[in-house]
Amino acid sequence: MDIEDKYFKNISSRERAIFEGAITMGALFHQFVGTPVNSKSAETLEKSIKEAMELQPCIEEVQVKINRKMLEDANSEFNYVSLNGDMMDIKVVSRYNNKKAVLRMEYIDKLMYPLMYVEEADE
Amino acid sequence: MDIEDKYFKNISSRERAIFEGAITMGALFHQFVGTPVNSKSAETLEKSIKEAMELQPCIEEVQVKINRKMLEDANSEFNYVSLNGDMMDIKVVSRYNNKKAVLRMEYIDKLMYPLMYVEEADE
Amino acid sequence: MDIEDKYFKNISSRERAIFEGAITMGALFHQFVGTPVNSKSAETLEKSIKEAMELQPCIEEVQVKINRKMLEDANSEFNYVSLNGDMMDIKVVSRYNNKKAVLRMEYIDKLMYPLMYVEEADE
Amino acid sequence: MDIEDKYFKNISSRERAIFEGAITMGALFHQFVGTPVNSKSAETLEKSIKEAMELQPCIEEVQVKINRKMLEDANSEFNYVSLNGDMMDIKVVSRYNNKKAVLRMEYIDKLMYPLMYVEEADE
């Protein structure tokens, strides 16, 4: 079966890059939020998230930075916290054919919300 | 702050609808896969997924159908299974301004994979 | 196969009730943390969590209360929040043979941590 | 506040070890099921699960083995699969005071179910 022809010919390459990047952004957030994490385990968790999410269709690169200062500030006496969206800065680079999209999630103080948006997308 | 002006003016209304719908599709899958479910609880779970995911930005409607036959076939002697992507048929309707997108996830036998795609999107 | 005889004869009925209740407590937390929720959807989510987790082995009853005041306080301009452990008060009643255990998760202000503990267990 | 005295004096050290180990077992399963994985990313994912779950209270060691053969057999043309319970063999070692418990999750073919049980616990 030609998947591309059957399911994806109604959107452009740029739209496909945005579509696949956005799926991965939503997936990443909801898969890993809640994971126990502290300063020692953060680097391995970042690497694991990156490797997992780069497997998804059309994903070229995923960068995840877990805010070390927030890890320490949020620290309970149990010496770890549950990962939440406020602690993460994420970049997802997706590509379909020759069109690349860069998607981003970052916590916006004024919104009190981890906002996902398209940082750039090839015309 | 004008979020729209600051973060979203580089993509069209159609692209924004696709973007937000795709985030919700990825989020839904990774939030709820693994949930214990059987024939009795499936309806409440469908309703809960629908109500949760309709809260996300630009989402007009979410429909979730959990395949009752697969629930029964996959049944262990413990009388429930873990929800997985193969069991779900999902439709997400998103809108930004006057542009609507309909996204879909369905299990494709030939691919052995729950495929997410754009079913239709206003030009 | 006699599962009970092969896998569980090394622990008492009281211990089994504690064991199964604790699995469900950990499972509940990590399955549902991150779910979008607001005042309108909270009741359906509570019901869905209850029905899902009551499917697990030896679980007699699950009660989930999502703190409505925290939902409103944590509210962003997007009109929903991600469910986290601080917002939940959970009771899990498990039973094996004639031994019942009641497990609890509640947020302890002084610990800044949602603590799980055994509230009571039949001797 | 003396947490131990206030919340845990109604259970023995052996029961506490079982309790904390079981929470971690349920947590691990429901946090990571659904994660995209293939043969290349499996080792990093195992390490990340181990480091995350060893942060939980009273957990001394966590071992996770993702079945490489099942990864390959389940492989779709997309070159990865969603992690599920059938693919994992887990050992959790917990300790409270001088009492150690070893908990295990393994897929039991005859049950078609990933069974969690107490492999050993100090008397």
Side-chain angles (χ1 to χ4, degrees):
Chain A
M1 177 169 46
D2 185 339
I3 306 171
E4 303 309 318
D5 193 55
K6 181 157 184 195
Y7 293 103
F8 292 107
K9 72 181 177 193
N10 59 341
I11 60 174
S12 70
S13 293
R14 171 183 152 107
E15 288 166 345
R16 179 72 182 279
I18 292 172
F19 173 74
E20 299 289 354
I23 289 171
T24 288
M25 195 60 98
L28 189 165
F29 185 98
H30 289 270
Q31 183 63 56
F32 292 101
V33 160
T35 304
V37 64
N38 71 5
S39 308
K40 275 191 223 165
S41 70
E43 191 175 339
T44 301
L45 182 56
E46 287 169 342
K47 186 165 181 259
S48 177
I49 294 175
K50 174 188 175 67
E51 288 187 18
M53 303 318 294
E54 286 180 352
L55 295 176
Q56 302 225 135
C58 306
I59 303 304
E60 249 184 30
E61 190 185 355
V62 174
Q63 292 173 22
V64 182
K65 286 183 203 153
I66 299 171
N67 189 321
R68 301 302 196 274
K69 183 163 185 334
M70 288 185 76
L71 281 189
E72 279 157 33
D73 291 352
N75 217 344
S76 71
E77 73 174 63
F78 291 96
N79 202 29
Y80 76 95
V81 296
S82 279
L83 184 69
N84 69 48
D86 307 357
M87 299 169 186
M88 286 191 279
D89 191 311
I90 304 169
K91 187 175 282 195
V92 171
V93 182
S94 54
R95 181 185 296 275
Y96 186 75
N97 286 335
N98 56 338
K99 301 299 185 189
K100 188 178 81 164
V102 180
L103 283 71
R104 182 83 182 280
M105 187 186 91
E106 61 174 326
Y107 186 74
I108 311 290
D109 282 330
K110 284 195 191 162
L111 302 176
M112 300 191 307
Y113 187 83
L115 189 72
M116 299 178 183
Y117 59 95
V118 178
E119 206 166 66
E120 52 179 281
D122 288 345
E123 294 291 340
Chain B
M1 178 170 45
D2 186 340
I3 307 171
E4 302 309 318
D5 193 54
K6 183 158 182 195
Y7 293 103
F8 293 106
K9 71 182 177 193
N10 59 340
I11 60 174
S12 70
S13 292
R14 172 182 152 107
E15 288 166 344
R16 179 72 181 280
I18 292 172
F19 174 74
E20 299 289 355
I23 288 171
T24 289
M25 194 60 98
L28 189 165
F29 185 98
H30 289 270
Q31 183 63 56
F32 292 101
V33 160
T35 304
V37 63
N38 71 6
S39 307
K40 276 191 221 165
S41 70
E43 191 176 337
T44 301
L45 182 56
E46 287 170 342
K47 186 165 181 260
S48 177
I49 294 174
K50 174 188 175 66
E51 289 186 18
M53 303 319 294
E54 286 180 352
L55 296 177
Q56 302 225 135
C58 305
I59 303 304
E60 249 184 30
E61 191 186 356
V62 173
Q63 292 174 22
V64 182
K65 286 182 202 154
I66 299 171
N67 188 321
R68 300 303 196 275
K69 183 163 185 336
M70 287 183 77
L71 280 190
E72 279 158 34
D73 291 353
N75 217 345
S76 72
E77 74 173 63
F78 292 96
N79 202 29
Y80 75 96
V81 297
S82 280
L83 184 69
N84 68 49
D86 308 357
M87 299 171 186
M88 286 190 279
D89 191 311
I90 303 169
K91 187 175 283 195
V92 171
V93 181
S94 53
R95 180 185 297 274
Y96 187 75
N97 287 335
N98 57 339
K99 301 299 185 188
K100 188 179 81 162
V102 180
L103 283 72
R104 183 84 183 278
M105 187 186 90
E106 60 175 326
Y107 186 73
I108 311 290
D109 282 330
K110 284 195 192 163
L111 302 176
M112 299 192 308
Y113 187 83
L115 188 73
M116 299 177 183
Y117 60 94
V118 178
E119 205 166 66
E120 52 178 282
D122 287 345
E123 294 291 341
Chain C
M1 179 169 48
D2 185 339
I3 307 171
E4 302 308 320
D5 193 55
K6 181 157 183 196
Y7 293 102
F8 293 107
K9 71 181 176 191
N10 58 340
I11 59 174
S12 70
S13 292
R14 170 182 153 107
E15 288 166 344
R16 179 71 181 281
I18 292 172
F19 174 75
E20 299 289 355
I23 289 171
T24 289
M25 194 61 96
L28 189 165
F29 185 99
H30 289 270
Q31 183 64 55
F32 292 101
V33 160
T35 305
V37 63
N38 70 7
S39 308
K40 276 191 220 164
S41 70
E43 191 176 337
T44 301
L45 182 56
E46 288 169 341
K47 185 165 183 260
S48 177
I49 294 175
K50 174 189 174 67
E51 289 186 18
M53 303 319 294
E54 286 180 351
L55 296 177
Q56 302 224 135
C58 306
I59 303 303
E60 247 184 33
E61 191 185 355
V62 173
Q63 292 174 21
V64 182
K65 286 183 203 154
I66 299 172
N67 189 320
R68 301 302 195 276
K69 183 163 185 337
M70 288 184 77
L71 280 189
E72 278 157 35
D73 290 352
N75 217 344
S76 72
E77 73 173 65
F78 292 96
N79 201 31
Y80 75 96
V81 296
S82 279
L83 183 69
N84 69 48
D86 307 357
M87 300 170 185
M88 285 191 279
D89 191 310
I90 303 169
K91 188 175 282 196
V92 171
V93 182
S94 53
R95 180 187 296 274
Y96 187 75
N97 286 335
N98 57 340
K99 301 298 186 189
K100 188 179 80 163
V102 180
L103 282 72
R104 181 82 182 280
M105 186 187 90
E106 61 175 326
Y107 186 73
I108 311 290
D109 282 330
K110 284 196 191 163
L111 302 176
M112 299 192 309
Y113 187 83
L115 188 71
M116 299 177 184
Y117 59 95
V118 178
E119 208 167 65
E120 52 178 282
D122 288 345
E123 294 292 341
Chain D
M1 179 170 45
D2 186 338
I3 306 170
E4 302 308 320
D5 193 55
K6 181 156 184 196
Y7 293 103
F8 293 107
K9 71 181 175 191
N10 58 341
I11 59 175
S12 69
S13 292
R14 171 182 152 107
E15 287 166 344
R16 179 72 181 280
I18 292 172
F19 174 75
E20 299 290 353
I23 288 171
T24 289
M25 195 60 97
L28 189 165
F29 185 98
H30 288 270
Q31 183 63 57
F32 291 101
V33 160
T35 304
V37 63
N38 70 6
S39 308
K40 275 191 223 165
S41 70
E43 191 175 337
T44 302
L45 182 55
E46 287 170 341
K47 186 164 181 259
S48 177
I49 294 175
K50 174 188 176 66
E51 288 186 18
M53 303 319 293
E54 286 180 351
L55 295 177
Q56 302 223 135
C58 306
I59 304 303
E60 249 184 29
E61 192 185 357
V62 174
Q63 292 173 23
V64 182
K65 285 182 202 154
I66 300 172
N67 188 322
R68 300 304 195 273
K69 185 165 183 333
M70 288 183 77
L71 281 190
E72 279 157 33
D73 290 353
N75 217 344
S76 72
E77 72 174 64
F78 292 95
N79 202 29
Y80 75 95
V81 296
S82 280
L83 183 68
N84 69 48
D86 308 357
M87 300 170 186
M88 285 191 279
D89 190 311
I90 303 169
K91 188 175 282 196
V92 170
V93 182
S94 53
R95 179 186 297 274
Y96 187 75
N97 286 335
N98 58 338
K99 301 299 185 189
K100 189 179 80 162
V102 180
L103 283 71
R104 183 84 182 278
M105 187 187 90
E106 61 174 326
Y107 187 73
I108 311 290
D109 283 330
K110 283 195 191 162
L111 302 176
M112 300 192 308
Y113 188 82
L115 188 72
M116 299 178 184
Y117 59 95
V118 178
E119 207 167 65
E120 53 178 279
D122 288 345
E123 295 292 341

